[in-house]
Amino acid sequence: MQKWKRRTVAVVRRLLTCAIVVIGLLALVFVHIRVELPSTEEITKLPTTQHEIEHQNLQTEENWEKELAPPHLSKTSQSARKLDGASGTSNSNKLWKPPPNRDYTPCVAPSPYYTPPPESRGYLLVHTNGGLNQMRAGICDMVAVARIINATLVIPELDKHSFWQDSSNFSDVFDEDHFIDSLKNDVKIIKKLPKELAHANRTVKQFRSWSGLQYYEEEIAPMWDQYQVIRAAKSDSRLANNNLPPDIQKLRCRACYEALRFAPEIEATGKLLRDRMRAYGPYIALHLRFEKDMLSFSGCTHDLSPEEAEELKSIRENTSWWKVKEIDPVEQRAKGFCPLTPKEVGIFLSALGFQSTTPIYIAAGEIYGGDLHMADLHSRFPLLMNKEKLASAEELEPFANHASQMAALDYIVSIQSDVFIPSYFGNMARAVEGHRRFLGHKKTISPDRKAFVRLFDKYEAGTIKDFKTLANRVIEIHRRRQGSPRKRKGPISGTKGMDRFRSEEAFYVNPLPDCLCQKESPILNSSAIMR
């Protein structure tokens, strides 16, 4: 009897064990099915709101763009996600976090007193000058000038004779129709001068630099009494940064950040590059201004060979419109007037705390000296990317041999980056910083070149013994140079004449307070009534 009881208990235990195992397996299968398969409700649910439809379209577009990724990036992209620095840690998150924007938001709508464009008194032709970003600022200024002098603006002619010898027309770089339509309530804009005005009375005028409302109303506008067409010989820095009516300042912002959009092909390819860069995680856009034209113009030769220094000097001497020929490169660098070298940039990024696995997009043309001068930076940060690495030759072919169009691609990727760092405060650095401020004060780290090269030289010479000391100094110097909201800087105290205007912070570097307002206390300044 006892044996039978023991056998019965053993059988029951086995049955219970089997039942528990079966239940556990069923539970695992059920969970797996729930995770892997969407519910019937999710399958049958269709997007009903505009937001849902746009989100669905965006996902489809992103999938399509990823399919277009060049074969040489597919494996690299996958492995990059596994890198420590690409995903970020608690420490590196601080490096990527943008500064507080203090609730500033764009406020570019005209005042209640702003009227449609008045009757045109004549036609304004504009010859822009410089590279892409110098021309962008000039075009936006000429929109404002056309409004002030009651002119019909003819689509500006881009500079085809600068260092880059770019043959691009306005419509090759910018969305011409969008530009005209966006500004129809501000200025009348036409694509070409009417044929009947081919032999009309005209004059070529070089507008005075950094001029205000009074200059254009009293010296330029009266010229309509004698001429039907006024041609502006240059467009850069023709309008003052400050002390203009609020409606004119807001018009400049509408022109720059809303109307002056790149051509559709450039926009699409730029966003494609951005998305491919995002596949690596948060990324830095590094405007590495170590290019032949910049080094020639600035006379900076640090870390270059005697032969390279001589080549750059020869270029400067043979470029007629560059006025300064004799430059002391050592003095230039000591004053902070030189772009950081690739090696210096590598040390700078490491000192700030960026890991070696940080994805970096090089926004630049051809780096002078190529791989030789990039070796140190590449050894510190192997994930260096550029247009040519992110896109196939076929994808870039439409923009090849057009410096302005290639620069536009860099501009788009830089605007959308998590962090933007320029090695030199040139036209692109200024334009990108201003645009990022307008978009919400995205993180922009502006190197203090004068202070940094002193630290760098001490570190190289062994005066600063360890890297941690260097890093602490670099971090402290740049704590307040990360794109936080602040009002545009005025002229340097004591400067006079044209030097006073040159010392001001440019309007397009920082459109606050003219075009950015705090949500809790909107700035409504409509004291000036534009006719």
Side-chain angles (χ1 to χ4, degrees), residues 38-49 52-53 56:
S39 66
T40 306
E41 182 183 356
E42 289 172 331
I43 292 173
T44 57
K45 183 180 179 182
L46 294 174
T48 56
T49 66
E52 289 173 329
I53 293 170
Q56 190 179 70

Side-chain angles (χ1 to χ4, degrees), residues 3 15 21 34 77 82 96 192 197 211 233 259 299 304 370 376-377 456-457 465 474 486:
K3 283 184 178 180
L15 287 173
V21 170
R34 287 295 297 245
S77 224
K82 300 177 182 179
W96 299 105
K192 293 182 179 179
L197 293 174
S211 296
L304 300 183
D376 191 87
L377 176 59
F456 175 83
D457 288 346
K465 300 296 183 183
V474 169
R486 59 170 176 77

Side-chain angles (χ1 to χ4, degrees), residues 411-436:
Y411 187 94
I412 293 170
V413 182
S414 296
I415 289 296
Q416 297 297 329
S417 66
D418 298 275
V419 177
F420 175 68
I421 301 177
S423 67
Y424 184 77
F425 201 55
N427 289 313
M428 177 167 173
R430 288 192 283 262
V432 171
E433 179 181 348
H435 203 151
R436 287 170 69 85

Side-chain angles (χ1 to χ4, degrees), residues 328-400:
D328 183 340
V330 176
E331 184 180 343
Q332 280 283 95
R333 183 169 175 270
K335 290 181 177 180
F337 295 159
C338 289
L340 298 179
T341 69
K343 181 179 180 179
E344 290 169 341
V345 168
I347 297 286
F348 178 73
L349 294 177
S350 296
L352 287 174
F354 288 103
Q355 300 175 22
S356 62
T357 49
T358 300
I360 299 175
Y361 179 84
I362 303 295
E366 184 178 354
I367 300 301
Y368 190 58
D371 293 341
L372 177 65
H373 291 304
M374 289 293 289
D376 191 87
L377 176 59
H378 191 269
S379 69
R380 287 178 175 274
F381 297 94
L383 259 180
L384 294 180
M385 308 300 291
N386 56 20
K387 297 181 291 293
E388 292 74 17
K389 289 182 180 179
L390 288 173
S392 65
E394 290 75 19
E395 288 170 321
L396 291 179
E397 194 277 332
F399 319 108

